[in-house]
Amino acid sequence: MALIINIPKQKQTLLFFLSVLLVRVVECGIGVNWGTISLHKMSPSTVVDLLRDNKIEKVKLFDADPDVMKGLMGSGLEVMVGIPNDMLALISSSTSAADLWVAQNVSRYMVKGGVNIKYVAVGNEPFLTSYSGQYQSYVVPAMANLQESLAKANLVRNVKLVVPCNADAYESSLPSQGTFRPELTQIITQMVSLLNSNGSPFLVNIYPFLSLYGNSDFPQDYAFFEGTTHAVTDGPNIYYNAFDGNLDTLIAALAKIGYGQMPIVIGEVGWPTDGAVGANLTAARVFNQGLVKHVLSNKGTPLRPGVPPMDVYLFSLLDEGAKSVLPGNFERHWGIFSFDGQSKYLLNFGNGPLKNAKDVQYLPYRWCVTNPTKDLAEVTNHVKLACSYADCTTLNYGGSCNGIGAKGNISYAFNSYYQLQKQNPRSCDFDGLGMVTFLNPSIGECRFLVGVSDYAASSSGFRLRESWISVLLIIILWDSWLFLI
């Protein structure tokens, strides 16, 4: 005790802040993004079991799908739910709409034995350059309304608002020179002020893969964590990987608006396994394992030594075969697990190699391929039709099935459609050009899938009805609000 009494006040203050930093390091954890834009969906309970078996305790969602939330009930997992960008305008202009959203998607699940909701994500990358500013003016008003709604529901202590930001919200040639884009500086300053006042972190998505994919001059080894011959020197600091450089650019940008100590959470980071050159199993394993090792080492970055992000959410848990491929075919292949919960490569979060999903209900083991006795001269339109419904992105340049030959490509397209149609015999006809086989036609890394029994068919009616009820209630409240003003 005498030693503590004799420590000068300034040093006591320093020790206090150091203890805060140490607590933050201890709490740093690895989570995953669970997207549901899939052609073949496992039941949410199976996915939750997959998370728990792999001791993944944090999960980020992009909405608050009722079936997913029901599957999370009683799981103990820490959950982030999301509000889609197209709802921001309404919530920003209507406190009633904000109240209703919180009631339907937060309060109803935060009961004894319910869902442990820690964060509500307000939009998803609303400042993305390609959106041309269409969402950015709604962010702060929506946050204000939602914060008020959480207060009314007595949830402000337990649930924090965050805004997932993309890395192109800030810019610089060197990390220490990081600034927010000029047109965003005022809005982001307001947003960060609100986040800070409510004890919320800054949420950012960082993708070294996209830097490599979009820039032929980007040094490949700088995207990983294995060391580089292209280190970036920034004054006294040296950067050996793009992740640290990007993160410190954000930290510098935050410092310039007066929030240099803002806690940071990485909302999305990962590497795809297919659909582009450089997107493969080996690269994904090296990147994600390097990332996990780097974050859990608590090294931090040159601007925040010893202080890693509070949490890091890998993107993503499962492949999503129905996602838009506008950014690239790789969009459907970010999962550390394939759509059926089978691990794609060795990855260790510190609890041993990933474990596969259990009790997955597959369709029978049979496939649809081209009939070798038929002339395929008229097959083009059939392939186009099949791929307009099913996911054929692995057949394109850089994909794992790109090199299996013309007949292999046709068979892959036929089978993808056949599995999507739950192996309906008629879906393998293609005017007599297709046939069913019981021999697995997979070639090397090109996997011909077998579908899973879709849980969603039995619950889709409920979800549709609930969705329409939600829309009608919001419209009613919106009309009432317009009448009052």
Side-chain angles (χ1 to χ4, degrees):
M1 294 296 293
L3 287 175
I4 295 176
I5 291 171
N6 291 331
I7 292 177
K9 187 175 181 180
Q10 294 88 342
K11 290 187 177 180
Q12 289 184 37
T13 303
L14 177 60
L15 287 172
F16 170 77
F17 282 111
L18 285 174
S19 68
V20 171
L21 291 179
L22 287 172
V23 169
R24 184 180 297 171
V25 169
V26 170
E27 293 179 345
C28 178
I30 304 293
V32 293
N33 287 265
W34 177 5
T36 57
I37 309 175
S38 179
L39 296 171
H40 305 272
K41 293 184 180 181
M42 294 185 293
S43 71
S45 61
T46 300
V47 179
V48 170
D49 287 343
L50 175 65
L51 291 166
R52 296 177 72 178
D53 287 346
N54 285 286
K55 296 182 172 57
I56 299 172
E57 299 177 346
K58 302 170 187 287
V59 63
K60 176 173 170 283
L61 309 174
F62 294 90
D63 51 24
D65 180 272
D67 287 345
V68 171
M69 298 300 285
K70 182 179 178 182
L72 287 163
M73 296 281 282
S75 68
L77 300 177
E78 184 183 287
V79 178
M80 182 188 302
V81 295
I83 300 175
N85 288 333
D86 57 13
M87 292 190 68
L88 294 181
L90 177 57
I91 290 176
S92 70
S93 58
S94 169
T95 55
S96 296
D99 290 346
L100 180 60
W101 192 92
V102 169
Q104 284 194 322
N105 300 288
V106 183
S107 301
R108 69 184 293 189
Y109 298 112
M110 294 194 69
V111 296
K112 185 177 181 179
V115 183
N116 177 22
I117 300 175
K118 183 173 182 180
Y119 296 113
V120 171
V122 183
N124 184 41
E125 297 187 332
F127 305 123
L128 198 65
T129 308
S130 58
Y131 290 146
S132 302
Q134 70 180 104
Y135 302 116
Q136 62 190 42
S137 64
Y138 304 134
V139 173
V140 173
M143 290 174 66
N145 285 346
L146 288 163
Q147 188 68 25
E148 185 179 328
S149 298
L150 289 172
K152 291 177 188 175
N154 201 28
L155 292 173
V156 286
R157 286 189 175 184
N158 300 316
V159 182
K160 302 299 180 183
L161 298 178
V162 292
V163 180
C165 290
N166 49 291
D168 78 348
Y170 48 91
E171 55 194 6
S172 82
S173 55
L174 290 172
S176 64
Q177 299 173 8
T179 58
F180 290 105
R181 297 199 326 255
E183 72 274 19
L184 294 178
T185 302
Q186 182 177 356
I187 292 173
I188 287 186
T189 302
Q190 295 171 349
M191 179 191 84
V192 172
S193 176
L194 191 55
L195 290 172
N196 185 65
S197 65
N198 294 315
S200 297
F202 191 101
L203 192 74
V204 64
N205 301 339
I206 294 177
Y207 282 107
F209 169 79
L210 295 182
S211 299
L212 183 63
Y213 178 78
N215 182 1
S216 59
D217 295 327
F218 191 89
Q220 182 168 329
D221 58 2
Y222 189 61
F224 295 88
F225 298 87
E226 307 299 303
T228 179
T229 57
H230 300 83
V232 173
T233 300
D234 183 7
N237 298 323
I238 301 177
Y239 292 87
Y240 297 98
N241 64 79
F243 179 83
D244 283 354
N246 198 311
L247 187 51
D248 270 2
T249 304
L250 169 61
I251 291 168
L254 286 169
K256 287 181 176 63
I257 61 171
Y259 294 92
Q261 300 304 313
M262 188 83 178
I264 294 172
V265 168
I266 307 300
E268 298 177 23
V269 59
W271 200 278
T273 58
D274 214 328
V277 174
N280 55 68
L281 296 170
T282 300
R285 179 189 61 77
V286 171
F287 177 84
N288 283 331
Q289 192 63 71
L291 171 73
V292 169
K293 181 180 178 182
H294 182 66
V295 171
L296 296 184
S297 72
N298 296 331
K299 290 179 180 178
T301 66
L303 291 186
R304 285 191 182 176
V307 186
M310 287 175 60
D311 293 311
V312 173
Y313 292 84
L314 284 179
F315 192 86
S316 64
L317 180 64
L318 303 165
D319 281 349
E320 297 176 82
K323 282 190 72 176
S324 168
V325 294
L326 190 60
N329 291 319
F330 54 83
E331 278 297 326
R332 297 178 176 178
H333 305 281
W334 289 97
I336 57 176
F337 293 92
S338 53
F339 73 93
D340 53 353
Q342 307 305 297
S343 63
K344 296 184 187 176
Y345 46 84
L346 287 175
L347 185 61
N348 189 334
F349 290 168
N351 304 304
L354 293 178
K355 298 177 182 177
N356 293 333
K358 299 175 182 175
D359 304 320
V360 179
Q361 301 300 310
Y362 289 96
L363 298 173
Y365 282 84
R366 56 190 178 213
W367 299 261
C368 178
V369 295
T370 55
N371 188 330
T373 66
K374 300 292 184 177
D375 181 1
L376 299 177
E378 303 298 324
V379 77
T380 302
N381 287 336
H382 293 295
V383 171
K384 287 182 179 178
L385 176 66
C387 291
S388 68
Y389 289 95
D391 175 29
C392 296
T393 52
T394 61
L395 297 177
N396 296 320
Y397 179 67
S400 60
C401 297
N402 179 248
I404 62 174
K407 287 187 177 180
N409 289 346
I410 297 166
S411 291
Y412 186 92
F414 281 6
N415 182 66
S416 297
Y417 180 78
Y418 174 66
Q419 303 296 340
L420 184 59
Q421 299 300 321
K422 304 302 175 192
Q423 298 184 354
N424 183 325
R426 294 174 60 185
S427 67
C428 186
D429 181 61
F430 298 104
D431 288 342
L433 300 181
M435 60 174 281
V436 173
T437 180
F438 296 94
L439 297 176
N440 189 340
S442 299
I443 306 171
E445 291 187 357
C446 179
R447 177 189 174 198
F448 280 60
L449 63 88
V450 172
V452 295
S453 298
D454 193 345
Y455 84 96
S458 61
S459 58
S460 58
F462 168 79
R463 293 205 313 278
L464 183 60
R465 288 193 299 273
E466 180 166 288
S467 176
W468 272 110
I469 290 170
S470 300
V471 171
L472 288 172
L473 284 171
I474 288 177
I475 290 172
I476 291 168
L477 287 168
W478 175 250
D479 288 342
S480 300
W481 181 78
L482 287 175
F483 177 78
L484 289 174
I485 63 171

